[in-house]
Amino acid sequence: MDYTLMIVAIVIAYFLGNISPATLLARAVGKDIKKEGSGNAGTTNALRVLGKKAALITLVIDIGKGVVAVLLGGLIAGTTASYCCALAAFVGHIWPVLFKFKGGKGVAVAFGAILAVNWHMALALLAIEAVVVLGSRMVSLASIVTAAACPFLAYFMERDFVPLVCVMALILIVKHRSNIGRILRGEENKLGHTVAK
């Protein structure tokens, strides 16, 4: 393994993760996505603050970042590098140096990265997300449950990816800690309702 190439791939993946469509789209209409709605630079907040078109653009680009990062890592330095690039793009989205380390929660990027690593696993996670959203109408709860399921699915479907998936899942759950508090208090917003800060 060429570690120099691997480091180059990881750095590129991190900066790919820095691209924040929600932030840029909000700025284009004179808004700061970090000060609107939930304050999160992700698809759900883009939907509530900017509308369906902006949310769709945000979702596609954020998923695309994860896919491209993994594929590029694999192309440059092999399978292990592709796994590391998945984490790098995810971290780059959550803590983007280009946006003063204030990014989104990383759900869409993580999905894109997993999609590129193992699409069967990605579809299984998407099914879990959909079932929880339909049952609870809470995107945050669905993201938390899906994140918790990631390591278990990876163990059976992409075992070498388990350590990095565990890190991603832990970060995702921690990033949703305020949502967890609201869920436990019965105060979490549901789709179609006003967002609490």
Side-chain angles (χ1 to χ4, degrees):
M1 181 186 297
D2 189 325
Y3 288 102
T4 300
L5 286 177
M6 184 173 178
I7 291 170
V8 169
I10 290 171
V11 171
I12 292 173
Y14 172 80
F15 280 102
L16 274 173
N18 273 222
I19 299 168
S20 179
T23 300
L24 297 174
L25 289 169
R27 285 184 180 180
V29 295
K31 294 183 178 181
D32 184 347
I33 197 74
K34 309 294 174 41
K35 296 179 180 178
E36 300 275 352
S38 66
N40 181 53
T43 301
T44 304
N45 202 35
L47 174 63
R48 288 162 171 157
V49 174
L50 303 171
K52 293 179 181 179
K53 184 177 179 181
L56 180 60
I57 293 171
T58 297
L59 178 64
V60 170
I61 293 177
D62 282 349
I63 290 174
K65 292 187 304 190
V67 171
V68 172
V70 170
L71 295 180
L72 191 63
L75 184 64
I76 293 174
T79 302
T80 300
S82 72
Y83 292 162
C84 293
C85 285
L87 179 60
F90 174 73
V91 169
H93 175 83
I94 297 174
W95 295 291
V97 66
L98 299 181
F99 293 104
K100 300 180 180 179
F101 299 101
K102 295 179 180 179
K105 293 180 178 177
V107 175
V109 181
F111 175 76
I114 293 169
L115 181 64
V117 169
N118 187 315
W119 67 270
H120 295 96
M121 180 177 166
L123 290 183
L125 291 170
L126 185 61
I128 294 171
E129 180 95 7
V131 168
V132 180
V133 168
L134 290 172
S136 68
R137 292 173 58 212
M138 290 187 284
V139 175
S140 58
L141 178 60
S143 298
I144 293 163
V145 172
T146 304
C150 271
F152 298 99
L153 287 177
Y155 180 81
F156 294 104
M157 305 176 80
E158 194 74 27
R159 192 162 297 184
D160 291 340
F161 194 36
V162 169
L164 293 179
V165 163
C166 286
V167 173
M168 292 169 71
L170 179 60
I171 293 173
L172 273 170
I173 292 170
V174 170
K175 290 295 290 183
H176 283 83
R177 60 190 180 279
S178 61
N179 302 89
I180 293 171
R182 289 195 295 270
I183 290 169
L184 293 175
R185 295 192 300 272
E187 299 171 355
E188 182 66 328
N189 295 288
K190 298 183 179 182
L191 288 174
H193 291 186
T194 303
V195 182
K197 292 187 179 182

